[in-house]
Structures are given as C-alpha cells and as structure tokens.
Amino acid sequence: MSLRDILFVTSEVHPFIKTGGLADVSGSLPVALRALRRDVRIVLPAYRAALQRARNTVEMTQFSVHGSDTPVTIREGRLPGTRVVVWFVDSPPHFDRPGGPYTDEEGRDWPDNAQRFTVFSRAVEKIACGEAGLAWRPELVHCNDWQSGLVPALLALRGERPATVFTIHNLAYQGLFSWDVFQTLHLPQTLWSMHAMEFYGQFSFIKGGIVFADMINTVSPNYAREITTPEFGCGLQDLLASRKDRLVGILNGADYSQWNPAKDPHLVKTYNAFTLEHKAANKAALQDRFHLPREPKTPLIGLIGRLVEQKGFDLLLAVLPQLLQRQVQVVVLGSGDKSLEDRLKRATVEYPRQVSAHIGYDESLAHLIEGGADMFLMPSRYEPCGLNQIYSLRYGTLPIVRRTGGLANTVIDATEENIANRTATGVVFDDATPQALLQAVDRALALYRQPRLWKKILFNGMQQDFSWRRSARQYLQLYQRALQIKD
Ligand code: ADP
Ligand code: GLC
C-alpha cells in the first residue's frame, strides 16, 4: 500500500516566517506532495509574526508536554492559496515574542532556543503518535534541520511510531548546547551518549536527526557527497559516512508560481524567453530603486543573501576596486553580520555611481533584482542547494557561481564545449578566492559583449526546469524506503 499521511515538521514556512531557503522549501514541497495526492500537514512553531500573518486560525486542541509548565495549543490554518493544513504549536512563553524565529531583534540567539525547540519537538511527538487529540495520525514524519532533530530521537524511543525522514538543509547549524542546558530539558538521559546526541561534550540537536531517522537526505546530490568529507562535514563526516546507505541527495525545486518573470507582480514589466528585451525596463527600475545612474548598457550584477561567511560576500569585497574598473554596477540585498553590513555600506559611499546596497530583508526587491540584473553572483564557500541561482536561470539573469554543493548541480559552465552543444547556462568557478571570482566575472563580461551568444546562453537557462514535481516524486521514493527500513 502506498503511503498517504505525512507530517512535515519545520521551523520556517513562506509566507508565514522566513530567514532563508528552508522557508521556500517548506512552502512549496508540501504543495507538490499534495498534488501527488498525499495528505501532508505542516507543523510550525506559533511565532508571533507567523500567527499575525496567518490571521484566522482555529484552536484545535490543547495538551501538556513533558518538561513544560504551560499547556500547548494547536491552532490550525492553511498555507495561503492552497488546501495544505498548517498546525501552529502555540506555547506563548516560548514563541509569542518580537524578533525572528531564532534570534532577537538585535540578531542575538534567543537564550532559551534549546527549551523552545524541545517543547516544539515534544508537541510534534504527540501529534506524530496520535496523542494530541487531532483525530489524525501520520505514517511518516519528515523533519528539517536541527530545530526538529530531536523528533526522530524521541520517536525512536517509542514502541509504536511512524517512519522518520530527516533533511539537512545546512550542516553548519547544528543546535549545540551545554550539559547544563541539557539538564534543563527533561529529556531521557540515554540521549547524552556519543551513540546518540552527545557531540564532543555538547548536546547536538542535529545528531538526533542523523542518528535516529530511518532515512536522511540533503538538498542536492553534490552536497550529500561533500558532507561525508572533512572539508564540508563540520565534524559529522564520519557519522554521515557510516550512514551512507541511508543518505541521499534530492535537489530542491523552485516554486515557479512565485518565481516566474512572465507573471511576477514585483516586476515593472513581465517577460519570457522570447521577450527578453523587456528586461531593460526592470533594469532601469532597479537602477532607480538603488539610486544608481540609469545606464542601459552597463552590466549590472546582483547579489542577494544572508550576509554570513557561507555566502562569500567577503570575496567580492576583497576584489571590489578591481571589479569596478570594469565599468559594472553592483547591487546587494542582504542582512546579517554587522561587520559585513558596515563594509558594504562603506563601499556604497566610496563608489556611489557603481555600488548600492539595501541592508535588510525585502521580498519584493529580491524579485526586482532577479528581473533587472544582467548577472547574479553567488560566490558561496559551500551551498547545500541554493535557490537564487535557480531563480536567476528562469529570469534570464546569468548566474556566476562557485562549483560547490547545489550550485554545481544546477548551473552549467559556459565552456567552449558546453556553448557548442547548447548546454551552457552560466559561469562556474572553482576556487574560493577573490582572484577566481574576478576571473569568473571577466568571463561573464566577455560573453556579455557578444549579444547573440549571450542571448543563447540566457535562453538555455530559461528552458531549465527545476519545478518541484520531480523532486517531490523523489521524496516519495525516499519516504517509501524509510517505511521499509522502519519495518
Ligand atoms: P539560504 O537558505 O542559505 O539563505 P537559499 O539560496 O536557499 O539560501 O535561499 C535564500 C532565500 O532567501 C531566497 O528565496 C532569497 O531570495 C531569500 N533572501 C535571502 N536574503 C534576502 C533578503 N535580504 N531579502 C529578501 N529575500 C532574501
Ligand atoms: C539552507 C542552505 C541552502 C538551501 C536551503 C533550502 O539554508 O544554505 O543552500 O537552498 O537551506 O534547502
């Protein structure tokens, strides 16, 4: 019999709450699974901001969880524009506060993150085992990243339980806490063991998923291989290598209902592969928005992302003066490390006609950058999947990416051979150095100066199909394997 009922556990869902790509995935994979006739229900912490966006939620049930004095309420809503059920785990002392899902308004981690995501996981455990009073019980629980890593561990301690899958979106964020914090969580002491969730003297939430889930995956085939090596394994490479038979890579999809230049309400002019000339209007609008001179012919390079070491913005900053001698414009949208934010701001003051940055989070502007820029730069040091390069392909915006993780699985380098056989879709470079980045941009600029060739490469990119349907089918296969392994 094929599997039907799936509980999708996540700490971010677009459009309720988002810090990065996990929210995009959580807002679209369940929809794609539902289109394959599965009953998928999402469970998410009831952060204040998320509940405000959800508006009309209905209180379904209330129960207590081990280790918390306050009862948990489950509120039901729907993913906007779909029939996918979303259950918000409401525990006001843990989630009803201003700020982000993991940090306060100043960007500092909430001091009680371990307690917050333990309460969340305890509530998920009850739902998963049909003990929450919801008259529904999943056959499989799909957890994502460290915030739900405890769930497979708690379920493994149960006699009767659903199958479990754990997806690693980013191995560098592990949810590590001290022994003292562990003591406050009221968890079974057996979890503090190197064979369970102890990791070099700390309690590791992500290990719960890696050790105890029936199947594990990450968000690109390439990253699935990389994380079994010391360079990318963040100390967990040996454990991951020992579970190789249960570890697969499934590329993220793109939600083309949100990211489609032919229908994008955030663009000043929509376009498709046959009306690429309309990009010019978006480029002009983008230059206006960023207070850069309107120069239709000047190559415009866009970057969007969390300003953290992973994304390699520092590589760009290190080479900026040389890059700007090439008569290009650069626009950046992002927020994160204060030092990177400051360096970017200084660059905009120094080069007001060529560099502009918007420090902050702005969904609409992200779309305009994809629509208006000529090139999109992602010099990531590592990248489990990456979504913006996939969006760039569809927007006819040439991706310039490092050959790592999912970037290497999604962009095909414009080598002579790939150009000749019409597979080239972007520029790919190897070394995480400022010089390699500069050379890659130079290669892209050389292509830009050959308009017919340039258009052909953009056209190839726009034909690529990274829709969720294919990936959702792969997830169904993964779920089946998890069910078999469990039994
Ligand atoms: P990650 O999850 O590592 O941050 P991804 O490329 O998978 O990287 O996803 C990032 C998502 O977050 C994309 O949808 C991107 O457009 C969005 N994003 C990141 N930073 C910002 C920002 N400052 N403003 C708007 N959207 C952003
Ligand atoms: C992570 C990764 C990113 C990936 C996203 C969604 O945040 O950094 O590469 O695309 O998760 O899976």
Side-chain angles (χ1 to χ4, degrees), residues 239-272:
L239 172 64
L240 285 159
S242 74
R243 297 199 29 101
K244 234 180 186 158
D245 53 334
R246 293 175 181 229
L247 170 64
V248 301
I250 301 178
L251 204 61
N252 284 335
D255 183 348
Y256 291 127
S257 71
Q258 305 265 343
W259 293 95
N260 173 4
K263 292 205 178 118
D264 191 330
H266 305 290
L267 300 186
V268 293
K269 190 146 189 159
T270 54
Y271 60 91
N272 61 36

PDB file of all heavy atoms in Angstrom, residues 239-272:
ATOM      1  N   LEU A 239      30.273  10.089  10.981  1.00  0.00           N
ATOM      2  CA  LEU A 239      28.926   9.595  11.270  1.00  0.00           C
ATOM      3  C   LEU A 239      28.097   9.521   9.982  1.00  0.00           C
ATOM      4  O   LEU A 239      27.424   8.519   9.711  1.00  0.00           O
ATOM      5  CB  LEU A 239      28.244  10.531  12.285  1.00  0.00           C
ATOM      6  CG  LEU A 239      26.771  10.264  12.553  1.00  0.00           C
ATOM      7  CD1 LEU A 239      26.567   8.895  13.184  1.00  0.00           C
ATOM      8  CD2 LEU A 239      26.184  11.353  13.478  1.00  0.00           C
ATOM      9  N   LEU A 240      28.181  10.570   9.183  1.00  0.00           N
ATOM     10  CA  LEU A 240      27.404  10.591   7.941  1.00  0.00           C
ATOM     11  C   LEU A 240      27.886   9.503   6.984  1.00  0.00           C
ATOM     12  O   LEU A 240      27.078   8.831   6.339  1.00  0.00           O
ATOM     13  CB  LEU A 240      27.494  11.973   7.287  1.00  0.00           C
ATOM     14  CG  LEU A 240      26.641  13.031   7.999  1.00  0.00           C
ATOM     15  CD1 LEU A 240      27.119  14.437   7.670  1.00  0.00           C
ATOM     16  CD2 LEU A 240      25.168  12.878   7.624  1.00  0.00           C
ATOM     17  N   ALA A 241      29.215   9.325   6.925  1.00  0.00           N
ATOM     18  CA  ALA A 241      29.749   8.288   6.034  1.00  0.00           C
ATOM     19  C   ALA A 241      29.286   6.906   6.498  1.00  0.00           C
ATOM     20  O   ALA A 241      28.975   6.037   5.674  1.00  0.00           O
ATOM     21  CB  ALA A 241      31.273   8.363   5.990  1.00  0.00           C
ATOM     22  N   SER A 242      29.182   6.730   7.823  1.00  0.00           N
ATOM     23  CA  SER A 242      28.754   5.424   8.330  1.00  0.00           C
ATOM     24  C   SER A 242      27.272   5.175   8.028  1.00  0.00           C
ATOM     25  O   SER A 242      26.807   4.044   8.099  1.00  0.00           O
ATOM     26  CB  SER A 242      29.012   5.328   9.837  1.00  0.00           C
ATOM     27  OG  SER A 242      28.048   6.108  10.532  1.00  0.00           O
ATOM     28  N   ARG A 243      26.545   6.230   7.702  1.00  0.00           N
ATOM     29  CA  ARG A 243      25.114   6.069   7.366  1.00  0.00           C
ATOM     30  C   ARG A 243      24.860   6.335   5.877  1.00  0.00           C
ATOM     31  O   ARG A 243      23.750   6.661   5.467  1.00  0.00           O
ATOM     32  CB  ARG A 243      24.268   6.988   8.253  1.00  0.00           C
ATOM     33  CG  ARG A 243      24.443   6.573   9.696  1.00  0.00           C
ATOM     34  CD  ARG A 243      23.432   7.011  10.705  1.00  0.00           C
ATOM     35  NE  ARG A 243      22.068   7.251  10.397  1.00  0.00           N
ATOM     36  CZ  ARG A 243      21.058   6.415  10.649  1.00  0.00           C
ATOM     37  NH1 ARG A 243      21.296   5.225  11.163  1.00  0.00           N
ATOM     38  NH2 ARG A 243      19.826   6.760  10.390  1.00  0.00           N
ATOM     39  N   LYS A 244      25.911   6.151   5.100  1.00  0.00           N
ATOM     40  CA  LYS A 244      25.849   6.428   3.659  1.00  0.00           C
ATOM     41  C   LYS A 244      24.698   5.716   2.957  1.00  0.00           C
ATOM     42  O   LYS A 244      24.091   6.259   2.033  1.00  0.00           O
ATOM     43  CB  LYS A 244      27.159   5.959   3.022  1.00  0.00           C
ATOM     44  CG  LYS A 244      27.854   7.010   2.219  1.00  0.00           C
ATOM     45  CD  LYS A 244      29.122   6.428   1.645  1.00  0.00           C
ATOM     46  CE  LYS A 244      29.926   7.512   0.952  1.00  0.00           C
ATOM     47  NZ  LYS A 244      31.332   7.135   0.852  1.00  0.00           N
ATOM     48  N   ASP A 245      24.410   4.491   3.400  1.00  0.00           N
ATOM     49  CA  ASP A 245      23.348   3.727   2.746  1.00  0.00           C
ATOM     50  C   ASP A 245      21.971   4.336   3.011  1.00  0.00           C
ATOM     51  O   ASP A 245      20.983   3.957   2.385  1.00  0.00           O
ATOM     52  CB  ASP A 245      23.385   2.260   3.214  1.00  0.00           C
ATOM     53  CG  ASP A 245      23.366   2.145   4.726  1.00  0.00           C
ATOM     54  OD1 ASP A 245      23.820   3.108   5.401  1.00  0.00           O
ATOM     55  OD2 ASP A 245      22.888   1.129   5.254  1.00  0.00           O
ATOM     56  N   ARG A 246      21.910   5.245   3.957  1.00  0.00           N
ATOM     57  CA  ARG A 246      20.619   5.890   4.255  1.00  0.00           C
ATOM     58  C   ARG A 246      20.603   7.356   3.866  1.00  0.00           C
ATOM     59  O   ARG A 246      19.665   8.082   4.171  1.00  0.00           O
ATOM     60  CB  ARG A 246      20.343   5.832   5.758  1.00  0.00           C
ATOM     61  CG  ARG A 246      20.116   4.428   6.240  1.00  0.00           C
ATOM     62  CD  ARG A 246      19.981   4.438   7.724  1.00  0.00           C
ATOM     63  NE  ARG A 246      19.796   3.075   8.189  1.00  0.00           N
ATOM     64  CZ  ARG A 246      18.838   2.710   9.020  1.00  0.00           C
ATOM     65  NH1 ARG A 246      17.995   3.605   9.489  1.00  0.00           N
ATOM     66  NH2 ARG A 246      18.735   1.467   9.391  1.00  0.00           N
ATOM     67  N   LEU A 247      21.693   7.823   3.244  1.00  0.00           N
ATOM     68  CA  LEU A 247      21.834   9.253   2.943  1.00  0.00           C
ATOM     69  C   LEU A 247      21.729   9.487   1.442  1.00  0.00           C
ATOM     70  O   LEU A 247      22.503   8.924   0.674  1.00  0.00           O
ATOM     71  CB  LEU A 247      23.206   9.728   3.450  1.00  0.00           C
ATOM     72  CG  LEU A 247      23.668  11.129   3.049  1.00  0.00           C
ATOM     73  CD1 LEU A 247      22.756  12.203   3.639  1.00  0.00           C
ATOM     74  CD2 LEU A 247      25.107  11.367   3.508  1.00  0.00           C
ATOM     75  N   VAL A 248      20.772  10.312   1.031  1.00  0.00           N
ATOM     76  CA  VAL A 248      20.651  10.624  -0.397  1.00  0.00           C
ATOM     77  C   VAL A 248      20.585  12.138  -0.588  1.00  0.00           C
ATOM     78  O   VAL A 248      20.411  12.898   0.367  1.00  0.00           O
ATOM     79  CB  VAL A 248      19.387   9.968  -1.032  1.00  0.00           C
ATOM     80  CG1 VAL A 248      19.416   8.460  -0.887  1.00  0.00           C
ATOM     81  CG2 VAL A 248      18.118  10.542  -0.444  1.00  0.00           C
ATOM     82  N   GLY A 249      20.745  12.570  -1.832  1.00  0.00           N
ATOM     83  CA  GLY A 249      20.631  13.999  -2.162  1.00  0.00           C
ATOM     84  C   GLY A 249      19.440  14.205  -3.082  1.00  0.00           C
ATOM     85  O   GLY A 249      19.319  13.512  -4.092  1.00  0.00           O
ATOM     86  N   ILE A 250      18.568  15.106  -2.723  1.00  0.00           N
ATOM     87  CA  ILE A 250      17.434  15.454  -3.594  1.00  0.00           C
ATOM     88  C   ILE A 250      17.460  16.962  -3.797  1.00  0.00           C
ATOM     89  O   ILE A 250      17.349  17.725  -2.830  1.00  0.00           O
ATOM     90  CB  ILE A 250      16.081  15.040  -2.966  1.00  0.00           C
ATOM     91  CG1 ILE A 250      16.041  13.536  -2.699  1.00  0.00           C
ATOM     92  CG2 ILE A 250      14.924  15.460  -3.883  1.00  0.00           C
ATOM     93  CD1 ILE A 250      14.756  13.047  -2.038  1.00  0.00           C
ATOM     94  N   LEU A 251      17.611  17.348  -5.025  1.00  0.00           N
ATOM     95  CA  LEU A 251      17.706  18.770  -5.339  1.00  0.00           C
ATOM     96  C   LEU A 251      16.405  19.498  -5.001  1.00  0.00           C
ATOM     97  O   LEU A 251      15.327  18.990  -5.285  1.00  0.00           O
ATOM     98  CB  LEU A 251      17.984  18.895  -6.844  1.00  0.00           C
ATOM     99  CG  LEU A 251      18.656  20.149  -7.345  1.00  0.00           C
ATOM    100  CD1 LEU A 251      20.037  20.319  -6.718  1.00  0.00           C
ATOM    101  CD2 LEU A 251      18.779  20.068  -8.863  1.00  0.00           C
ATOM    102  N   ASN A 252      16.537  20.677  -4.404  1.00  0.00           N
ATOM    103  CA  ASN A 252      15.346  21.493  -4.184  1.00  0.00           C
ATOM    104  C   ASN A 252      14.724  21.881  -5.517  1.00  0.00           C
ATOM    105  O   ASN A 252      15.417  22.023  -6.519  1.00  0.00           O
ATOM    106  CB  ASN A 252      15.716  22.798  -3.474  1.00  0.00           C
ATOM    107  CG  ASN A 252      15.983  22.604  -2.002  1.00  0.00           C
ATOM    108  OD1 ASN A 252      15.483  21.667  -1.388  1.00  0.00           O
ATOM    109  ND2 ASN A 252      16.779  23.494  -1.424  1.00  0.00           N
ATOM    110  N   GLY A 253      13.446  22.115  -5.497  1.00  0.00           N
ATOM    111  CA  GLY A 253      12.784  22.665  -6.669  1.00  0.00           C
ATOM    112  C   GLY A 253      12.634  24.169  -6.515  1.00  0.00           C
ATOM    113  O   GLY A 253      12.991  24.753  -5.490  1.00  0.00           O
ATOM    114  N   ALA A 254      12.115  24.783  -7.555  1.00  0.00           N
ATOM    115  CA  ALA A 254      11.773  26.200  -7.473  1.00  0.00           C
ATOM    116  C   ALA A 254      10.259  26.286  -7.583  1.00  0.00           C
ATOM    117  O   ALA A 254       9.646  25.512  -8.310  1.00  0.00           O
ATOM    118  CB  ALA A 254      12.416  26.968  -8.618  1.00  0.00           C
ATOM    119  N   ASP A 255       9.689  27.209  -6.850  1.00  0.00           N
ATOM    120  CA  ASP A 255       8.251  27.404  -6.942  1.00  0.00           C
ATOM    121  C   ASP A 255       7.986  28.415  -8.054  1.00  0.00           C
ATOM    122  O   ASP A 255       8.032  29.625  -7.833  1.00  0.00           O
ATOM    123  CB  ASP A 255       7.732  27.911  -5.587  1.00  0.00           C
ATOM    124  CG  ASP A 255       6.227  28.073  -5.584  1.00  0.00           C
ATOM    125  OD1 ASP A 255       5.625  28.013  -6.685  1.00  0.00           O
ATOM    126  OD2 ASP A 255       5.656  28.273  -4.503  1.00  0.00           O
ATOM    127  N   TYR A 256       7.726  27.897  -9.241  1.00  0.00           N
ATOM    128  CA  TYR A 256       7.554  28.793 -10.389  1.00  0.00           C
ATOM    129  C   TYR A 256       6.217  29.551 -10.346  1.00  0.00           C
ATOM    130  O   TYR A 256       5.978  30.403 -11.183  1.00  0.00           O
ATOM    131  CB  TYR A 256       7.700  28.021 -11.703  1.00  0.00           C
ATOM    132  CG  TYR A 256       9.116  27.533 -11.972  1.00  0.00           C
ATOM    133  CD1 TYR A 256       9.376  26.196 -12.263  1.00  0.00           C
ATOM    134  CD2 TYR A 256      10.202  28.414 -11.949  1.00  0.00           C
ATOM    135  CE1 TYR A 256      10.670  25.741 -12.527  1.00  0.00           C
ATOM    136  CE2 TYR A 256      11.500  27.973 -12.197  1.00  0.00           C
ATOM    137  CZ  TYR A 256      11.725  26.636 -12.487  1.00  0.00           C
ATOM    138  OH  TYR A 256      13.005  26.206 -12.737  1.00  0.00           O
ATOM    139  N   SER A 257       5.360  29.237  -9.384  1.00  0.00           N
ATOM    140  CA  SER A 257       4.168  30.088  -9.264  1.00  0.00           C
ATOM    141  C   SER A 257       4.549  31.408  -8.588  1.00  0.00           C
ATOM    142  O   SER A 257       3.878  32.424  -8.735  1.00  0.00           O
ATOM    143  CB  SER A 257       3.067  29.368  -8.480  1.00  0.00           C
ATOM    144  OG  SER A 257       3.423  29.270  -7.118  1.00  0.00           O
ATOM    145  N   GLN A 258       5.656  31.402  -7.837  1.00  0.00           N
ATOM    146  CA  GLN A 258       6.133  32.629  -7.199  1.00  0.00           C
ATOM    147  C   GLN A 258       7.256  33.282  -8.007  1.00  0.00           C
ATOM    148  O   GLN A 258       7.448  34.487  -7.960  1.00  0.00           O
ATOM    149  CB  GLN A 258       6.734  32.302  -5.818  1.00  0.00           C
ATOM    150  CG  GLN A 258       5.832  31.550  -4.884  1.00  0.00           C
ATOM    151  CD  GLN A 258       5.112  32.487  -3.965  1.00  0.00           C
ATOM    152  OE1 GLN A 258       5.511  33.644  -3.816  1.00  0.00           O
ATOM    153  NE2 GLN A 258       4.057  32.015  -3.348  1.00  0.00           N
ATOM    154  N   TRP A 259       8.051  32.428  -8.665  1.00  0.00           N
ATOM    155  CA  TRP A 259       9.261  32.923  -9.335  1.00  0.00           C
ATOM    156  C   TRP A 259       9.159  32.675 -10.836  1.00  0.00           C
ATOM    157  O   TRP A 259       9.730  31.733 -11.354  1.00  0.00           O
ATOM    158  CB  TRP A 259      10.498  32.243  -8.738  1.00  0.00           C
ATOM    159  CG  TRP A 259      10.745  32.630  -7.306  1.00  0.00           C
ATOM    160  CD1 TRP A 259      10.338  31.954  -6.207  1.00  0.00           C
ATOM    161  CD2 TRP A 259      11.455  33.790  -6.837  1.00  0.00           C
ATOM    162  NE1 TRP A 259      10.746  32.625  -5.064  1.00  0.00           N
ATOM    163  CE2 TRP A 259      11.432  33.746  -5.424  1.00  0.00           C
ATOM    164  CE3 TRP A 259      12.110  34.858  -7.455  1.00  0.00           C
ATOM    165  CZ2 TRP A 259      12.026  34.725  -4.625  1.00  0.00           C
ATOM    166  CZ3 TRP A 259      12.705  35.828  -6.659  1.00  0.00           C
ATOM    167  CH2 TRP A 259      12.660  35.762  -5.273  1.00  0.00           C
ATOM    168  N   ASN A 260       8.391  33.538 -11.491  1.00  0.00           N
ATOM    169  CA  ASN A 260       8.179  33.397 -12.922  1.00  0.00           C
ATOM    170  C   ASN A 260       8.129  34.799 -13.534  1.00  0.00           C
ATOM    171  O   ASN A 260       7.206  35.561 -13.247  1.00  0.00           O
ATOM    172  CB  ASN A 260       6.847  32.654 -13.142  1.00  0.00           C
ATOM    173  CG  ASN A 260       6.467  32.602 -14.609  1.00  0.00           C
ATOM    174  OD1 ASN A 260       7.218  33.053 -15.475  1.00  0.00           O
ATOM    175  ND2 ASN A 260       5.293  32.061 -14.891  1.00  0.00           N
ATOM    176  N   PRO A 261       9.112  35.154 -14.362  1.00  0.00           N
ATOM    177  CA  PRO A 261       9.167  36.534 -14.879  1.00  0.00           C
ATOM    178  C   PRO A 261       7.969  36.881 -15.764  1.00  0.00           C
ATOM    179  O   PRO A 261       7.685  38.056 -15.965  1.00  0.00           O
ATOM    180  CB  PRO A 261      10.476  36.566 -15.684  1.00  0.00           C
ATOM    181  CG  PRO A 261      10.773  35.149 -16.032  1.00  0.00           C
ATOM    182  CD  PRO A 261      10.221  34.323 -14.902  1.00  0.00           C
ATOM    183  N   ALA A 262       7.256  35.867 -16.245  1.00  0.00           N
ATOM    184  CA  ALA A 262       6.101  36.143 -17.101  1.00  0.00           C
ATOM    185  C   ALA A 262       4.883  36.577 -16.289  1.00  0.00           C
ATOM    186  O   ALA A 262       3.929  37.129 -16.836  1.00  0.00           O
ATOM    187  CB  ALA A 262       5.767  34.912 -17.935  1.00  0.00           C
ATOM    188  N   LYS A 263       4.933  36.344 -14.968  1.00  0.00           N
ATOM    189  CA  LYS A 263       3.749  36.665 -14.151  1.00  0.00           C
ATOM    190  C   LYS A 263       4.109  37.392 -12.862  1.00  0.00           C
ATOM    191  O   LYS A 263       3.290  37.456 -11.954  1.00  0.00           O
ATOM    192  CB  LYS A 263       3.037  35.363 -13.769  1.00  0.00           C
ATOM    193  CG  LYS A 263       2.407  34.657 -14.936  1.00  0.00           C
ATOM    194  CD  LYS A 263       1.259  33.785 -14.475  1.00  0.00           C
ATOM    195  CE  LYS A 263       0.588  33.123 -15.656  1.00  0.00           C
ATOM    196  NZ  LYS A 263       0.666  31.687 -15.613  1.00  0.00           N
ATOM    197  N   ASP A 264       5.316  37.878 -12.748  1.00  0.00           N
ATOM    198  CA  ASP A 264       5.783  38.379 -11.458  1.00  0.00           C
ATOM    199  C   ASP A 264       5.235  39.777 -11.166  1.00  0.00           C
ATOM    200  O   ASP A 264       5.579  40.746 -11.864  1.00  0.00           O
ATOM    201  CB  ASP A 264       7.320  38.395 -11.478  1.00  0.00           C
ATOM    202  CG  ASP A 264       7.907  38.640 -10.110  1.00  0.00           C
ATOM    203  OD1 ASP A 264       7.249  39.333  -9.307  1.00  0.00           O
ATOM    204  OD2 ASP A 264       9.020  38.154  -9.842  1.00  0.00           O
ATOM    205  N   PRO A 265       4.384  39.928 -10.139  1.00  0.00           N
ATOM    206  CA  PRO A 265       3.808  41.246  -9.860  1.00  0.00           C
ATOM    207  C   PRO A 265       4.827  42.255  -9.336  1.00  0.00           C
ATOM    208  O   PRO A 265       4.554  43.454  -9.290  1.00  0.00           O
ATOM    209  CB  PRO A 265       2.752  40.950  -8.777  1.00  0.00           C
ATOM    210  CG  PRO A 265       3.197  39.675  -8.140  1.00  0.00           C
ATOM    211  CD  PRO A 265       3.911  38.891  -9.210  1.00  0.00           C
ATOM    212  N   HIS A 266       6.003  41.790  -8.958  1.00  0.00           N
ATOM    213  CA  HIS A 266       7.016  42.714  -8.440  1.00  0.00           C
ATOM    214  C   HIS A 266       7.848  43.364  -9.549  1.00  0.00           C
ATOM    215  O   HIS A 266       8.655  44.239  -9.281  1.00  0.00           O
ATOM    216  CB  HIS A 266       7.959  41.987  -7.479  1.00  0.00           C
ATOM    217  CG  HIS A 266       7.239  41.293  -6.365  1.00  0.00           C
ATOM    218  ND1 HIS A 266       6.609  41.986  -5.348  1.00  0.00           N
ATOM    219  CD2 HIS A 266       7.015  39.982  -6.109  1.00  0.00           C
ATOM    220  CE1 HIS A 266       6.051  41.116  -4.522  1.00  0.00           C
ATOM    221  NE2 HIS A 266       6.280  39.900  -4.961  1.00  0.00           N
ATOM    222  N   LEU A 267       7.667  42.904 -10.771  1.00  0.00           N
ATOM    223  CA  LEU A 267       8.427  43.492 -11.878  1.00  0.00           C
ATOM    224  C   LEU A 267       7.648  44.662 -12.467  1.00  0.00           C
ATOM    225  O   LEU A 267       6.411  44.689 -12.416  1.00  0.00           O
ATOM    226  CB  LEU A 267       8.669  42.438 -12.972  1.00  0.00           C
ATOM    227  CG  LEU A 267       9.445  41.182 -12.571  1.00  0.00           C
ATOM    228  CD1 LEU A 267       9.717  40.313 -13.802  1.00  0.00           C
ATOM    229  CD2 LEU A 267      10.754  41.533 -11.869  1.00  0.00           C
ATOM    230  N   VAL A 268       8.370  45.625 -13.051  1.00  0.00           N
ATOM    231  CA  VAL A 268       7.632  46.706 -13.715  1.00  0.00           C
ATOM    232  C   VAL A 268       7.173  46.256 -15.100  1.00  0.00           C
ATOM    233  O   VAL A 268       6.205  46.771 -15.639  1.00  0.00           O
ATOM    234  CB  VAL A 268       8.466  48.013 -13.820  1.00  0.00           C
ATOM    235  CG1 VAL A 268       8.716  48.596 -12.444  1.00  0.00           C
ATOM    236  CG2 VAL A 268       9.772  47.806 -14.550  1.00  0.00           C
ATOM    237  N   LYS A 269       7.888  45.277 -15.666  1.00  0.00           N
ATOM    238  CA  LYS A 269       7.450  44.723 -16.949  1.00  0.00           C
ATOM    239  C   LYS A 269       7.743  43.221 -16.955  1.00  0.00           C
ATOM    240  O   LYS A 269       8.878  42.816 -16.706  1.00  0.00           O
ATOM    241  CB  LYS A 269       8.204  45.422 -18.084  1.00  0.00           C
ATOM    242  CG  LYS A 269       7.658  45.087 -19.428  1.00  0.00           C
ATOM    243  CD  LYS A 269       7.761  46.269 -20.386  1.00  0.00           C
ATOM    244  CE  LYS A 269       6.981  45.931 -21.638  1.00  0.00           C
ATOM    245  NZ  LYS A 269       6.587  47.037 -22.408  1.00  0.00           N
ATOM    246  N   THR A 270       6.732  42.429 -17.228  1.00  0.00           N
ATOM    247  CA  THR A 270       6.948  40.981 -17.244  1.00  0.00           C
ATOM    248  C   THR A 270       7.515  40.574 -18.615  1.00  0.00           C
ATOM    249  O   THR A 270       7.404  41.318 -19.590  1.00  0.00           O
ATOM    250  CB  THR A 270       5.633  40.223 -16.986  1.00  0.00           C
ATOM    251  OG1 THR A 270       4.667  40.671 -17.925  1.00  0.00           O
ATOM    252  CG2 THR A 270       5.131  40.473 -15.578  1.00  0.00           C
ATOM    253  N   TYR A 271       8.125  39.408 -18.657  1.00  0.00           N
ATOM    254  CA  TYR A 271       8.758  38.959 -19.896  1.00  0.00           C
ATOM    255  C   TYR A 271       8.926  37.453 -19.871  1.00  0.00           C
ATOM    256  O   TYR A 271       8.753  36.811 -18.824  1.00  0.00           O
ATOM    257  CB  TYR A 271      10.116  39.649 -20.094  1.00  0.00           C
ATOM    258  CG  TYR A 271      11.093  39.376 -18.972  1.00  0.00           C
ATOM    259  CD1 TYR A 271      11.990  38.303 -19.024  1.00  0.00           C
ATOM    260  CD2 TYR A 271      11.124  40.192 -17.844  1.00  0.00           C
ATOM    261  CE1 TYR A 271      12.882  38.048 -17.991  1.00  0.00           C
ATOM    262  CE2 TYR A 271      12.012  39.946 -16.805  1.00  0.00           C
ATOM    263  CZ  TYR A 271      12.883  38.871 -16.882  1.00  0.00           C
ATOM    264  OH  TYR A 271      13.752  38.612 -15.850  1.00  0.00           O
ATOM    265  N   ASN A 272       9.271  36.899 -21.045  1.00  0.00           N
ATOM    266  CA  ASN A 272       9.621  35.484 -21.109  1.00  0.00           C
ATOM    267  C   ASN A 272      10.831  35.319 -22.021  1.00  0.00           C
ATOM    268  O   ASN A 272      11.430  36.322 -22.443  1.00  0.00           O
ATOM    269  CB  ASN A 272       8.422  34.647 -21.567  1.00  0.00           C
ATOM    270  CG  ASN A 272       7.954  35.051 -22.950  1.00  0.00           C
ATOM    271  OD1 ASN A 272       8.767  35.403 -23.811  1.00  0.00           O
ATOM    272  ND2 ASN A 272       6.645  35.016 -23.161  1.00  0.00           N
TER     273      ASN A 272
END
